[in-house]
Amino acid sequence: MRLLVLGGTGFVGGATVAEAVRRGWSVTVFNRGLHGSVPPGVHRLRGDRSAPDGLAVLADGEWDLVVDTWDGAPRAARAAARALVDTVGHYTYVSSGSVYADPVAPGSDETAPVADADPDAADGDYQQLKAGAERAVFGDRALIARAGLILGPGEDIGRLPWWLSCIARGGDVLAPGPAELPIQCIDVRDLASWMLDQGARARGGTFNAVSRPGHSTMGELLGECVAVTGSDARLRWTDPESILAAGVEPWNDLPIWLPLGHPYRWLLERDTSRAHAAGLTCRPVAETVADTWRWLREVGTVPPRAGRPRRAAVGLDPAREAALLATQPAAG
């Protein structure tokens, strides 16, 4: 198979390239050539899709499928799709569950309303960018993968790396209860493998690409972090009401955690029957945690997002966490 990845050096793009190389496919990446590297044997085309004639280098190519991880202006996604319409057999766009229009009921499937967005827009918030790009590339040959919480080696946002680093320091760790709170996530390698399988089969359509609800729990996730780091960390499970009353922001201050009743709780409770019927499988969270810790020790720090502005750091700083631990009652 001949694969073109638009991007290819970031988190999802890099995992997709690595999986395709493992399969022995012919792989080409298209990007500005300013960030990251590619495995030996991967052909790199340089261009800026946001610039006039920035896609010209793609004109003479021919590929069986393309994977596009773009999260910028929808008009750039549309330009790429139009440029490749005659040279690519199948198009996969990595979207996000964030495209759904508020409010979203937990358990919703792919038929839930999507936020209104312009496929020719030059700017917007993350929801508008992804929803607009979906409309820009949609067609019979397109697979729209609405990914959920993506974890694993190479994570460039830092949610799981924050927990691993926090727990590796040892001592008391603020653990947002309850321990049995379900979480829904996907290892980036499972997402990449599934997308390539669908592309090879020329399967189109829209899919919530994430694990089944309840794939893991906060207790299992943080327990695995303690196990793989080998630290003396003590998880102090704390009532969500106490944490929220202290002004802690779920998802940002305490990554991955969204308590029951939170307006965005649905991000961890989407129906994924369609994707799993199409062959999606998700490895145990223990494997994701162990491999992320191994990778994090190798690289030392969370990498910047390839080609995109740096995001604000996630997670409480140690001083604020310690202050909260000193004042918040621990759950039994």
Side-chain angles (χ1 to χ4, degrees):
M1 295 291 290
R2 299 164 299 173
L3 170 69
L4 171 65
V5 179
L6 303 181
T9 58
F11 182 32
V12 177
T16 303
V17 168
E19 173 60 19
V21 169
R22 188 193 68 79
R23 296 181 181 203
W25 290 9
S26 171
V27 182
T28 300
V29 300
F30 168 81
N31 53 51
R32 294 180 298 170
L34 302 177
H35 303 86
S37 59
V38 295
V42 172
H43 183 46
R44 192 168 194 171
L45 298 176
R46 286 174 168 79
D48 183 350
R49 66 196 296 173
S50 299
D53 297 322
L55 298 165
V57 70
L58 300 177
D60 297 327
E62 188 172 339
W63 298 275
D64 298 304
L65 61 148
V66 61
V67 173
D68 189 357
T69 63
W70 183 248
D71 63 359
R75 67 168 54 175
R78 167 162 282 186
R82 287 175 172 172
L84 294 167
V85 67
D86 294 324
T87 56
V88 171
H90 185 269
Y91 206 106
T92 293
Y93 178 65
V94 184
S95 187
S96 166
S98 297
V99 300
Y100 291 112
D102 298 327
V104 184
S108 295
D109 63 13
E110 294 85 352
T111 62
V114 172
D116 188 31
D118 182 0
D120 285 317
D123 203 355
D125 60 24
Y126 184 73
Q127 181 187 57
Q128 294 167 331
L129 296 176
K130 282 295 190 182
E134 279 193 9
R135 291 178 169 89
V137 304
F138 201 84
D140 292 340
R141 292 184 296 169
L143 175 84
I144 305 298
R146 289 178 180 159
L149 172 63
I150 310 173
L151 303 175
E155 187 197 334
D156 54 8
I157 294 178
R159 296 186 177 104
L160 181 53
W162 181 82
W163 279 113
L164 285 162
S165 298
C166 179
I167 287 171
R169 290 195 297 268
D172 287 349
V173 174
L174 181 67
E180 63 272 16
L181 183 72
I183 61 174
Q184 187 178 35
C185 58
I186 188 167
D187 189 294
V188 67
R189 297 164 293 182
D190 296 331
L191 175 62
S193 180
W194 179 78
M195 290 192 301
L196 294 183
D197 286 345
Q198 304 315 302
R201 299 174 183 132
R203 187 194 299 270
T206 301
F207 298 84
N208 285 333
V210 66
S211 71
R212 299 183 190 278
H215 177 68
S216 186
T217 63
M218 286 300 299
E220 181 185 8
L221 180 77
L222 300 191
E224 292 295 340
C225 289
V226 174
V228 300
T229 59
S231 81
D232 64 354
R234 296 175 297 275
L235 299 176
R236 284 184 53 182
W237 292 101
T238 305
D239 292 325
E241 293 79 7
S242 299
I243 296 174
L244 296 173
V248 173
E249 290 289 334
W251 197 256
N252 292 321
D253 290 339
L254 291 176
I256 302 173
W257 178 61
L258 285 171
L260 296 177
H262 190 277
Y264 292 106
R265 176 63 199 173
W266 62 268
L267 285 169
L268 299 178
E269 292 187 27
R270 282 188 286 150
D271 183 281
T272 61
S273 302
R274 183 180 295 180
H276 287 271
L280 178 62
T281 58
C282 295
R283 71 191 67 201
V285 74
E287 185 176 337
T288 299
V289 171
D291 290 347
T292 302
W293 177 237
R294 187 179 304 112
W295 161 79
L296 188 60
R297 285 184 295 170
E298 291 173 356
V299 300
T301 188
V302 175
R305 299 172 67 220
R308 305 298 298 155
R310 181 177 290 274
R311 295 170 59 120
V314 299
L316 294 171
D317 64 49
R320 187 178 177 204
E321 182 193 12
L324 287 167
L325 281 168
T327 59
Q328 301 305 311

